[in-house]
Amino acid sequence: MIQFNQFKLECRKHGAVFAVFTGLSVLTNLYFLFSQDQDLAFVFLLVNMVIGILLPVYIYLDYYREFYTGTMPINHLLPLRTSALFGVKSAVFMLGLTLVWVPSLLDVFLNPAGLYQQRILHSDSPALGIAYLVLSKLCSIPAGLALMGLVLAAGKRLRKPAFSHFCIALVMALVVGIQFALVVRNSWHWSLGTSSAETFKQYANLLTVSPVSRTQPADINESINWTSVVMNLLVTVTAGTIGGCMFNSRKYEILGK
């Protein structure tokens, strides 16, 4: 019951922000679904890139205020373990990020020139392509949130603020950098935050990458990279477990909680 009440509070707190970005995503995708005006195509890319940058920053700042600086001490007085509080907030953020992403499927599935009708429909297994399209994205979201939680929980243990912030940035960059390097390995070129009709998107944590090979694969399913999905799952489990243990340490918990 406490978790559910906290979930509702977090939804009210962040609902307006995610509603605005979801509405913006819907309007943008609907416009380019029915409009053939390619002169404004850069707007579509710009909106997606802005959303892809602002939302992770917004989420990180909320985690930072809650679990690093502790500007909401009343939440830590709840009969709820800090790891459970982090889980509740993360559930709200996962739901919000998913809602913002779903409108992008309008272009994928309904646009005659979209990815589904151009490539997935003509692949040897459309069901496999759709499954990868969805799973790759949904596995990247908890990976990003878990990594944020881990670095903040670890940074809280360091006494020097400057050193703490340096370590937070270093660990995040290192983990995402390794994932990114493995995603773009053997690709001819790549782009961030954009889509390609040649291959499926890959996700290095919350970072969207479109690696392109020198020759377009005859079947788009040949561009499926389950390694990126496995990496995100490993980050989710590892960072989530270690971060949860740190959140439940004396650094966060209050005696008798």
Short mmCIF file of all heavy atoms in Angstrom, two decimals, residues 20-85:
data_model
loop_
_atom_site.label_atom_id
_atom_site.label_comp_id
_atom_site.label_asym_id
_atom_site.label_seq_id
_atom_site.Cartn_x
_atom_site.Cartn_y
_atom_site.Cartn_z
N VAL A 20 3.79 16.44 -21.46
CA VAL A 20 4.22 17.44 -22.45
C VAL A 20 5.10 16.81 -23.52
O VAL A 20 4.89 17.01 -24.72
CB VAL A 20 4.97 18.60 -21.75
CG1 VAL A 20 5.66 19.49 -22.79
CG2 VAL A 20 4.01 19.42 -20.91
N PHE A 21 6.08 16.02 -23.10
CA PHE A 21 6.98 15.40 -24.07
C PHE A 21 6.25 14.34 -24.90
O PHE A 21 6.55 14.18 -26.09
CB PHE A 21 8.18 14.78 -23.36
CG PHE A 21 9.23 15.78 -22.98
CD1 PHE A 21 9.42 16.16 -21.66
CD2 PHE A 21 10.04 16.36 -23.94
CE1 PHE A 21 10.38 17.09 -21.31
CE2 PHE A 21 11.00 17.29 -23.61
CZ PHE A 21 11.17 17.66 -22.29
N THR A 22 5.32 13.63 -24.29
CA THR A 22 4.53 12.65 -25.05
C THR A 22 3.67 13.35 -26.10
O THR A 22 3.60 12.91 -27.25
CB THR A 22 3.63 11.82 -24.12
OG1 THR A 22 4.45 11.13 -23.16
CG2 THR A 22 2.82 10.79 -24.90
N GLY A 23 3.01 14.44 -25.70
CA GLY A 23 2.21 15.21 -26.65
C GLY A 23 3.05 15.76 -27.78
O GLY A 23 2.64 15.72 -28.96
N LEU A 24 4.23 16.26 -27.46
CA LEU A 24 5.13 16.78 -28.49
C LEU A 24 5.55 15.67 -29.45
O LEU A 24 5.59 15.86 -30.67
CB LEU A 24 6.37 17.39 -27.82
CG LEU A 24 7.41 18.03 -28.73
CD1 LEU A 24 6.81 19.20 -29.51
CD2 LEU A 24 8.60 18.51 -27.91
N SER A 25 5.82 14.49 -28.90
CA SER A 25 6.21 13.35 -29.73
C SER A 25 5.06 12.91 -30.63
O SER A 25 5.26 12.59 -31.80
CB SER A 25 6.65 12.19 -28.83
OG SER A 25 7.07 11.08 -29.61
N VAL A 26 3.84 12.90 -30.09
CA VAL A 26 2.66 12.51 -30.87
C VAL A 26 2.45 13.49 -32.03
O VAL A 26 2.26 13.08 -33.19
CB VAL A 26 1.40 12.46 -29.99
CG1 VAL A 26 0.15 12.33 -30.85
CG2 VAL A 26 1.48 11.29 -29.02
N LEU A 27 2.45 14.79 -31.73
CA LEU A 27 2.21 15.79 -32.76
C LEU A 27 3.28 15.74 -33.86
O LEU A 27 2.96 15.83 -35.05
CB LEU A 27 2.20 17.18 -32.13
CG LEU A 27 1.01 17.49 -31.20
CD1 LEU A 27 1.19 18.85 -30.55
CD2 LEU A 27 -0.31 17.43 -31.97
N THR A 28 4.52 15.58 -33.45
CA THR A 28 5.61 15.53 -34.43
C THR A 28 5.48 14.31 -35.33
O THR A 28 5.60 14.41 -36.56
CB THR A 28 6.97 15.50 -33.72
OG1 THR A 28 7.08 16.61 -32.83
CG2 THR A 28 8.10 15.55 -34.73
N ASN A 29 5.23 13.15 -34.73
CA ASN A 29 5.11 11.93 -35.53
C ASN A 29 3.88 11.93 -36.42
O ASN A 29 3.92 11.43 -37.55
CB ASN A 29 5.10 10.71 -34.60
CG ASN A 29 6.49 10.32 -34.12
OD1 ASN A 29 7.23 9.65 -34.81
ND2 ASN A 29 6.85 10.78 -32.92
N LEU A 30 2.77 12.48 -35.94
CA LEU A 30 1.57 12.56 -36.77
C LEU A 30 1.78 13.50 -37.95
O LEU A 30 1.34 13.21 -39.07
CB LEU A 30 0.38 13.05 -35.93
CG LEU A 30 -0.25 12.03 -34.99
CD1 LEU A 30 -1.35 12.68 -34.16
CD2 LEU A 30 -0.82 10.84 -35.77
N TYR A 31 2.45 14.62 -37.70
CA TYR A 31 2.70 15.57 -38.79
C TYR A 31 3.51 14.91 -39.90
O TYR A 31 3.17 14.99 -41.08
CB TYR A 31 3.41 16.80 -38.27
CG TYR A 31 3.77 17.77 -39.38
CD1 TYR A 31 2.82 18.64 -39.88
CD2 TYR A 31 5.05 17.78 -39.93
CE1 TYR A 31 3.14 19.52 -40.91
CE2 TYR A 31 5.38 18.65 -40.95
CZ TYR A 31 4.42 19.51 -41.44
OH TYR A 31 4.74 20.37 -42.47
N PHE A 32 4.60 14.26 -39.54
CA PHE A 32 5.45 13.67 -40.56
C PHE A 32 4.91 12.35 -41.10
O PHE A 32 5.41 11.85 -42.10
CB PHE A 32 6.87 13.50 -40.01
CG PHE A 32 7.61 14.79 -39.91
CD1 PHE A 32 7.73 15.45 -38.69
CD2 PHE A 32 8.17 15.37 -41.03
CE1 PHE A 32 8.38 16.65 -38.61
CE2 PHE A 32 8.84 16.58 -40.94
CZ PHE A 32 8.95 17.23 -39.72
N LEU A 33 3.88 11.82 -40.43
CA LEU A 33 3.22 10.63 -40.96
C LEU A 33 2.37 10.99 -42.18
O LEU A 33 2.30 10.23 -43.15
CB LEU A 33 2.34 10.00 -39.88
CG LEU A 33 1.50 8.79 -40.30
CD1 LEU A 33 2.40 7.64 -40.74
CD2 LEU A 33 0.62 8.34 -39.14
N PHE A 34 1.73 12.16 -42.12
CA PHE A 34 0.83 12.57 -43.19
C PHE A 34 1.42 13.63 -44.10
O PHE A 34 0.82 13.98 -45.12
CB PHE A 34 -0.48 13.10 -42.59
CG PHE A 34 -1.25 12.07 -41.83
CD1 PHE A 34 -1.31 12.13 -40.43
CD2 PHE A 34 -1.89 11.03 -42.47
CE1 PHE A 34 -2.01 11.18 -39.71
CE2 PHE A 34 -2.59 10.08 -41.77
CZ PHE A 34 -2.66 10.16 -40.39
N SER A 35 2.56 14.17 -43.76
CA SER A 35 3.18 15.20 -44.59
C SER A 35 4.37 14.63 -45.34
O SER A 35 5.17 13.87 -44.79
CB SER A 35 3.63 16.38 -43.71
OG SER A 35 4.36 17.31 -44.48
N GLN A 36 4.47 15.01 -46.61
CA GLN A 36 5.61 14.58 -47.42
C GLN A 36 6.66 15.68 -47.56
O GLN A 36 7.55 15.58 -48.39
CB GLN A 36 5.10 14.17 -48.81
CG GLN A 36 4.08 13.05 -48.80
CD GLN A 36 4.62 11.79 -48.19
OE1 GLN A 36 5.77 11.40 -48.44
NE2 GLN A 36 3.81 11.11 -47.38
N ASP A 37 6.51 16.72 -46.76
CA ASP A 37 7.43 17.85 -46.82
C ASP A 37 8.76 17.48 -46.19
O ASP A 37 8.91 17.46 -44.97
CB ASP A 37 6.82 19.05 -46.10
CG ASP A 37 7.67 20.32 -46.28
OD1 ASP A 37 8.69 20.23 -46.97
OD2 ASP A 37 7.29 21.36 -45.72
N GLN A 38 9.73 17.17 -47.02
CA GLN A 38 11.04 16.76 -46.54
C GLN A 38 11.90 17.94 -46.11
O GLN A 38 12.94 17.76 -45.49
CB GLN A 38 11.78 15.96 -47.62
CG GLN A 38 11.11 14.64 -47.96
CD GLN A 38 11.04 13.72 -46.75
OE1 GLN A 38 12.02 13.56 -46.02
NE2 GLN A 38 9.88 13.11 -46.53
N ASP A 39 11.44 19.16 -46.46
CA ASP A 39 12.22 20.35 -46.08
C ASP A 39 12.26 20.53 -44.57
O ASP A 39 13.17 21.17 -44.04
CB ASP A 39 11.62 21.60 -46.74
CG ASP A 39 11.77 21.58 -48.25
OD1 ASP A 39 12.68 20.89 -48.73
OD2 ASP A 39 10.97 22.23 -48.94
N LEU A 40 11.25 19.99 -43.88
CA LEU A 40 11.20 20.12 -42.43
C LEU A 40 11.61 18.83 -41.73
O LEU A 40 11.36 18.66 -40.54
CB LEU A 40 9.78 20.52 -41.99
CG LEU A 40 9.31 21.91 -42.45
CD1 LEU A 40 7.88 22.15 -41.99
CD2 LEU A 40 10.22 22.99 -41.89
N ALA A 41 12.22 17.92 -42.46
CA ALA A 41 12.61 16.64 -41.87
C ALA A 41 13.60 16.84 -40.72
O ALA A 41 13.61 16.06 -39.76
CB ALA A 41 13.23 15.74 -42.94
N PHE A 42 14.41 17.90 -40.83
CA PHE A 42 15.39 18.14 -39.76
C PHE A 42 14.69 18.45 -38.44
O PHE A 42 15.26 18.22 -37.36
CB PHE A 42 16.32 19.29 -40.15
CG PHE A 42 15.70 20.65 -40.03
CD1 PHE A 42 15.87 21.43 -38.90
CD2 PHE A 42 14.93 21.16 -41.06
CE1 PHE A 42 15.30 22.69 -38.79
CE2 PHE A 42 14.34 22.41 -40.96
CZ PHE A 42 14.52 23.17 -39.84
N VAL A 43 13.45 19.01 -38.52
CA VAL A 43 12.70 19.31 -37.30
C VAL A 43 12.39 18.02 -36.56
O VAL A 43 12.46 17.95 -35.32
CB VAL A 43 11.41 20.08 -37.63
CG1 VAL A 43 10.58 20.30 -36.36
CG2 VAL A 43 11.73 21.41 -38.29
N PHE A 44 12.01 17.00 -37.32
CA PHE A 44 11.70 15.70 -36.73
C PHE A 44 12.91 15.15 -35.98
O PHE A 44 12.81 14.67 -34.85
CB PHE A 44 11.27 14.73 -37.84
CG PHE A 44 10.92 13.35 -37.35
CD1 PHE A 44 9.72 13.12 -36.70
CD2 PHE A 44 11.78 12.28 -37.55
CE1 PHE A 44 9.38 11.85 -36.26
CE2 PHE A 44 11.45 11.02 -37.11
CZ PHE A 44 10.24 10.80 -36.46
N LEU A 45 14.07 15.22 -36.61
CA LEU A 45 15.30 14.74 -35.98
C LEU A 45 15.65 15.60 -34.77
O LEU A 45 16.07 15.08 -33.73
CB LEU A 45 16.45 14.77 -36.99
CG LEU A 45 16.31 13.87 -38.22
CD1 LEU A 45 17.49 14.06 -39.15
CD2 LEU A 45 16.19 12.41 -37.81
N LEU A 46 15.46 16.91 -34.90
CA LEU A 46 15.80 17.82 -33.81
C LEU A 46 14.93 17.56 -32.58
O LEU A 46 15.43 17.53 -31.45
CB LEU A 46 15.64 19.27 -34.27
CG LEU A 46 15.99 20.36 -33.25
CD1 LEU A 46 17.47 20.25 -32.87
CD2 LEU A 46 15.69 21.73 -33.81
N VAL A 47 13.63 17.37 -32.79
CA VAL A 47 12.71 17.10 -31.67
C VAL A 47 13.10 15.82 -30.96
O VAL A 47 13.16 15.76 -29.72
CB VAL A 47 11.26 17.03 -32.17
CG1 VAL A 47 10.34 16.50 -31.08
CG2 VAL A 47 10.79 18.40 -32.62
N ASN A 48 13.38 14.77 -31.74
CA ASN A 48 13.77 13.50 -31.12
C ASN A 48 15.07 13.63 -30.33
O ASN A 48 15.22 13.05 -29.25
CB ASN A 48 13.92 12.42 -32.20
CG ASN A 48 12.59 11.90 -32.69
OD1 ASN A 48 11.59 11.96 -31.97
ND2 ASN A 48 12.55 11.41 -33.91
N MET A 49 16.02 14.38 -30.87
CA MET A 49 17.29 14.55 -30.18
C MET A 49 17.13 15.35 -28.90
O MET A 49 17.73 15.03 -27.87
CB MET A 49 18.31 15.22 -31.11
CG MET A 49 18.75 14.34 -32.28
SD MET A 49 19.98 15.12 -33.35
CE MET A 49 21.38 15.18 -32.26
N VAL A 50 16.29 16.39 -28.95
CA VAL A 50 16.05 17.21 -27.76
C VAL A 50 15.39 16.38 -26.67
O VAL A 50 15.78 16.43 -25.49
CB VAL A 50 15.19 18.44 -28.10
CG1 VAL A 50 14.71 19.13 -26.84
CG2 VAL A 50 15.99 19.41 -28.96
N ILE A 51 14.38 15.60 -27.06
CA ILE A 51 13.70 14.73 -26.09
C ILE A 51 14.70 13.72 -25.51
O ILE A 51 14.70 13.46 -24.30
CB ILE A 51 12.52 14.00 -26.75
CG1 ILE A 51 11.41 15.00 -27.08
CG2 ILE A 51 11.98 12.90 -25.84
CD1 ILE A 51 10.24 14.40 -27.83
N GLY A 52 15.53 13.15 -26.39
CA GLY A 52 16.50 12.15 -25.95
C GLY A 52 17.54 12.71 -25.00
O GLY A 52 18.15 11.95 -24.23
N ILE A 53 17.78 14.02 -25.03
CA ILE A 53 18.75 14.64 -24.13
C ILE A 53 18.09 15.15 -22.86
O ILE A 53 18.56 14.91 -21.75
CB ILE A 53 19.47 15.80 -24.85
CG1 ILE A 53 20.33 15.27 -25.99
CG2 ILE A 53 20.32 16.60 -23.87
CD1 ILE A 53 20.93 16.35 -26.86
N LEU A 54 16.97 15.85 -23.01
CA LEU A 54 16.35 16.51 -21.86
C LEU A 54 15.76 15.52 -20.85
O LEU A 54 15.89 15.74 -19.63
CB LEU A 54 15.25 17.47 -22.34
CG LEU A 54 15.73 18.72 -23.07
CD1 LEU A 54 14.54 19.62 -23.40
CD2 LEU A 54 16.74 19.49 -22.22
N LEU A 55 15.12 14.47 -21.31
CA LEU A 55 14.49 13.55 -20.37
C LEU A 55 15.51 12.83 -19.47
O LEU A 55 15.31 12.76 -18.26
CB LEU A 55 13.62 12.53 -21.11
CG LEU A 55 12.23 13.04 -21.50
CD1 LEU A 55 11.43 11.95 -22.21
CD2 LEU A 55 11.46 13.54 -20.28
N PRO A 56 16.60 12.26 -20.02
CA PRO A 56 17.60 11.67 -19.12
C PRO A 56 18.18 12.68 -18.13
O PRO A 56 18.43 12.34 -16.97
CB PRO A 56 18.68 11.16 -20.08
CG PRO A 56 17.95 10.88 -21.34
CD PRO A 56 16.92 11.97 -21.43
N VAL A 57 18.38 13.93 -18.58
CA VAL A 57 18.89 14.96 -17.68
C VAL A 57 17.88 15.25 -16.58
O VAL A 57 18.23 15.38 -15.39
CB VAL A 57 19.23 16.25 -18.46
CG1 VAL A 57 19.55 17.39 -17.50
CG2 VAL A 57 20.40 16.00 -19.40
N TYR A 58 16.62 15.36 -16.94
CA TYR A 58 15.55 15.61 -15.96
C TYR A 58 15.49 14.49 -14.93
O TYR A 58 15.39 14.74 -13.72
CB TYR A 58 14.22 15.74 -16.69
CG TYR A 58 13.02 15.80 -15.78
CD1 TYR A 58 12.66 16.98 -15.13
CD2 TYR A 58 12.24 14.66 -15.54
CE1 TYR A 58 11.57 17.03 -14.28
CE2 TYR A 58 11.15 14.70 -14.70
CZ TYR A 58 10.81 15.89 -14.07
OH TYR A 58 9.73 15.93 -13.23
N ILE A 59 15.56 13.25 -15.40
CA ILE A 59 15.49 12.10 -14.49
C ILE A 59 16.71 12.08 -13.57
O ILE A 59 16.59 11.85 -12.36
CB ILE A 59 15.40 10.80 -15.30
CG1 ILE A 59 14.04 10.73 -16.00
CG2 ILE A 59 15.58 9.58 -14.39
CD1 ILE A 59 13.92 9.59 -16.99
N TYR A 60 17.88 12.31 -14.13
CA TYR A 60 19.10 12.30 -13.32
C TYR A 60 19.04 13.36 -12.23
O TYR A 60 19.41 13.11 -11.08
CB TYR A 60 20.34 12.52 -14.19
CG TYR A 60 21.61 12.60 -13.40
CD1 TYR A 60 22.24 11.43 -12.96
CD2 TYR A 60 22.17 13.83 -13.07
CE1 TYR A 60 23.41 11.50 -12.21
CE2 TYR A 60 23.33 13.90 -12.32
CZ TYR A 60 23.95 12.74 -11.89
OH TYR A 60 25.09 12.80 -11.14
N LEU A 61 18.58 14.56 -12.58
CA LEU A 61 18.49 15.63 -11.58
C LEU A 61 17.52 15.29 -10.47
O LEU A 61 17.75 15.63 -9.30
CB LEU A 61 18.09 16.94 -12.26
CG LEU A 61 19.14 17.57 -13.19
CD1 LEU A 61 18.59 18.82 -13.85
CD2 LEU A 61 20.42 17.88 -12.42
N ASP A 62 16.43 14.60 -10.81
CA ASP A 62 15.49 14.20 -9.77
C ASP A 62 16.11 13.16 -8.85
O ASP A 62 15.99 13.25 -7.62
CB ASP A 62 14.22 13.64 -10.41
CG ASP A 62 13.17 13.30 -9.36
OD1 ASP A 62 12.46 14.22 -8.91
OD2 ASP A 62 13.05 12.10 -8.98
N TYR A 63 16.77 12.17 -9.43
CA TYR A 63 17.49 11.18 -8.62
C TYR A 63 18.54 11.89 -7.75
O TYR A 63 18.72 11.54 -6.58
CB TYR A 63 18.21 10.18 -9.53
CG TYR A 63 17.37 9.06 -10.08
CD1 TYR A 63 17.70 8.46 -11.29
CD2 TYR A 63 16.26 8.57 -9.39
CE1 TYR A 63 16.96 7.42 -11.80
CE2 TYR A 63 15.52 7.53 -9.90
CZ TYR A 63 15.87 6.96 -11.11
OH TYR A 63 15.13 5.92 -11.61
N TYR A 64 19.24 12.84 -8.34
CA TYR A 64 20.33 13.54 -7.64
C TYR A 64 19.79 14.26 -6.41
O TYR A 64 20.37 14.18 -5.32
CB TYR A 64 21.00 14.52 -8.60
CG TYR A 64 22.16 15.27 -8.02
CD1 TYR A 64 23.44 14.71 -7.99
CD2 TYR A 64 22.00 16.55 -7.49
CE1 TYR A 64 24.51 15.40 -7.46
CE2 TYR A 64 23.06 17.25 -6.95
CZ TYR A 64 24.33 16.67 -6.95
OH TYR A 64 25.38 17.35 -6.41
N ARG A 65 18.69 14.97 -6.59
CA ARG A 65 18.10 15.70 -5.45
C ARG A 65 17.57 14.74 -4.38
O ARG A 65 17.67 15.02 -3.18
CB ARG A 65 16.97 16.61 -5.95
CG ARG A 65 17.44 17.81 -6.75
CD ARG A 65 16.30 18.78 -6.98
NE ARG A 65 15.27 18.18 -7.83
CZ ARG A 65 15.21 18.33 -9.15
NH1 ARG A 65 16.13 19.07 -9.76
NH2 ARG A 65 14.24 17.79 -9.84
N GLU A 66 17.05 13.63 -4.82
CA GLU A 66 16.44 12.69 -3.88
C GLU A 66 17.47 11.85 -3.14
O GLU A 66 17.40 11.69 -1.91
CB GLU A 66 15.49 11.75 -4.63
CG GLU A 66 14.73 10.77 -3.76
CD GLU A 66 13.56 11.41 -3.06
OE1 GLU A 66 12.64 11.90 -3.73
OE2 GLU A 66 13.58 11.42 -1.81
N PHE A 67 18.44 11.30 -3.88
CA PHE A 67 19.33 10.31 -3.28
C PHE A 67 20.76 10.79 -3.04
O PHE A 67 21.53 10.09 -2.39
CB PHE A 67 19.37 9.06 -4.18
CG PHE A 67 18.03 8.43 -4.37
CD1 PHE A 67 17.36 8.54 -5.57
CD2 PHE A 67 17.41 7.73 -3.34
CE1 PHE A 67 16.11 7.97 -5.75
CE2 PHE A 67 16.16 7.16 -3.50
CZ PHE A 67 15.51 7.28 -4.72
N TYR A 68 21.11 11.95 -3.57
CA TYR A 68 22.48 12.45 -3.34
C TYR A 68 22.48 13.64 -2.38
O TYR A 68 23.13 13.61 -1.33
CB TYR A 68 23.14 12.82 -4.66
CG TYR A 68 24.61 13.12 -4.52
CD1 TYR A 68 25.56 12.09 -4.56
CD2 TYR A 68 25.07 14.42 -4.33
CE1 TYR A 68 26.91 12.36 -4.42
CE2 TYR A 68 26.42 14.69 -4.19
CZ TYR A 68 27.34 13.66 -4.23
OH TYR A 68 28.67 13.93 -4.08
N THR A 69 21.75 14.69 -2.73
CA THR A 69 21.73 15.86 -1.85
C THR A 69 20.69 15.72 -0.75
O THR A 69 20.77 16.41 0.27
CB THR A 69 21.45 17.14 -2.65
OG1 THR A 69 20.17 17.02 -3.31
CG2 THR A 69 22.53 17.37 -3.70
N GLY A 70 19.67 14.86 -0.96
CA GLY A 70 18.66 14.63 0.08
C GLY A 70 17.78 15.83 0.34
O GLY A 70 17.49 16.15 1.49
N THR A 71 17.33 16.50 -0.72
CA THR A 71 16.48 17.68 -0.54
C THR A 71 15.03 17.31 -0.24
O THR A 71 14.20 18.19 -0.01
CB THR A 71 16.52 18.57 -1.80
OG1 THR A 71 16.17 17.77 -2.95
CG2 THR A 71 17.90 19.16 -1.99
N MET A 72 14.71 16.01 -0.27
CA MET A 72 13.37 15.55 0.09
C MET A 72 13.47 14.57 1.26
O MET A 72 13.17 13.39 1.14
CB MET A 72 12.71 14.87 -1.11
CG MET A 72 12.37 15.80 -2.25
SD MET A 72 11.06 16.95 -1.81
CE MET A 72 9.67 15.84 -1.73
N PRO A 73 13.91 15.05 2.45
CA PRO A 73 14.15 14.15 3.58
C PRO A 73 12.89 13.47 4.08
O PRO A 73 12.97 12.40 4.68
CB PRO A 73 14.72 15.09 4.66
CG PRO A 73 14.22 16.45 4.28
CD PRO A 73 14.19 16.45 2.79
N ILE A 74 11.70 14.04 3.82
CA ILE A 74 10.47 13.42 4.30
C ILE A 74 10.27 12.04 3.69
O ILE A 74 9.70 11.14 4.31
CB ILE A 74 9.25 14.33 4.00
CG1 ILE A 74 8.01 13.79 4.73
CG2 ILE A 74 9.00 14.43 2.50
CD1 ILE A 74 6.83 14.75 4.67
N ASN A 75 10.75 11.85 2.45
CA ASN A 75 10.62 10.54 1.81
C ASN A 75 11.43 9.48 2.53
O ASN A 75 11.08 8.30 2.53
CB ASN A 75 11.06 10.61 0.34
CG ASN A 75 10.01 11.29 -0.52
OD1 ASN A 75 8.86 11.43 -0.12
ND2 ASN A 75 10.42 11.71 -1.71
N HIS A 76 12.53 9.89 3.15
CA HIS A 76 13.37 8.93 3.86
C HIS A 76 12.84 8.62 5.25
O HIS A 76 13.38 7.76 5.95
CB HIS A 76 14.81 9.47 3.94
CG HIS A 76 15.44 9.62 2.59
ND1 HIS A 76 15.92 8.54 1.87
CD2 HIS A 76 15.64 10.72 1.82
CE1 HIS A 76 16.40 8.98 0.72
NE2 HIS A 76 16.24 10.29 0.66
N LEU A 77 11.79 9.32 5.66
CA LEU A 77 11.14 9.02 6.93
C LEU A 77 9.99 8.04 6.76
O LEU A 77 9.41 7.58 7.74
CB LEU A 77 10.62 10.32 7.57
CG LEU A 77 11.69 11.36 7.94
CD1 LEU A 77 11.02 12.62 8.50
CD2 LEU A 77 12.68 10.79 8.94
N LEU A 78 9.67 7.73 5.51
CA LEU A 78 8.62 6.75 5.25
C LEU A 78 9.08 5.36 5.68
O LEU A 78 10.28 5.05 5.63
CB LEU A 78 8.28 6.72 3.76
CG LEU A 78 7.67 7.99 3.16
CD1 LEU A 78 7.60 7.87 1.64
CD2 LEU A 78 6.27 8.21 3.72
N PRO A 79 8.16 4.50 6.13
CA PRO A 79 8.53 3.11 6.45
C PRO A 79 8.76 2.32 5.18
O PRO A 79 8.08 1.33 4.88
CB PRO A 79 7.31 2.60 7.23
CG PRO A 79 6.17 3.41 6.71
CD PRO A 79 6.73 4.78 6.41
N LEU A 80 9.71 2.80 4.40
CA LEU A 80 10.01 2.23 3.08
C LEU A 80 11.51 2.28 2.86
O LEU A 80 12.13 3.33 3.02
CB LEU A 80 9.28 3.06 2.01
CG LEU A 80 9.24 2.54 0.58
CD1 LEU A 80 8.38 1.28 0.51
CD2 LEU A 80 8.67 3.60 -0.35
N ARG A 81 12.10 1.16 2.54
CA ARG A 81 13.53 1.11 2.33
C ARG A 81 13.91 1.99 1.15
O ARG A 81 13.13 2.17 0.21
CB ARG A 81 14.00 -0.33 2.11
CG ARG A 81 13.78 -1.22 3.33
CD ARG A 81 14.37 -2.60 3.12
NE ARG A 81 15.83 -2.57 3.21
CZ ARG A 81 16.50 -2.62 4.35
NH1 ARG A 81 15.85 -2.68 5.50
NH2 ARG A 81 17.81 -2.62 4.35
N THR A 82 15.11 2.54 1.20
CA THR A 82 15.54 3.45 0.15
C THR A 82 15.57 2.76 -1.21
O THR A 82 15.25 3.37 -2.23
CB THR A 82 16.93 4.03 0.47
OG1 THR A 82 16.90 4.60 1.78
CG2 THR A 82 17.31 5.10 -0.53
N SER A 83 15.95 1.49 -1.22
CA SER A 83 15.97 0.75 -2.48
C SER A 83 14.56 0.63 -3.05
O SER A 83 14.36 0.71 -4.27
CB SER A 83 16.56 -0.64 -2.28
OG SER A 83 15.81 -1.38 -1.33
N ALA A 84 13.56 0.47 -2.17
CA ALA A 84 12.17 0.38 -2.62
C ALA A 84 11.70 1.74 -3.16
O ALA A 84 10.97 1.81 -4.15
CB ALA A 84 11.26 -0.08 -1.49
N LEU A 85 12.13 2.81 -2.51
CA LEU A 85 11.78 4.16 -2.98
C LEU A 85 12.38 4.40 -4.36
O LEU A 85 11.72 4.96 -5.25
CB LEU A 85 12.29 5.20 -1.99
CG LEU A 85 12.06 6.67 -2.36
CD1 LEU A 85 10.58 6.97 -2.49
CD2 LEU A 85 12.71 7.58 -1.31
#
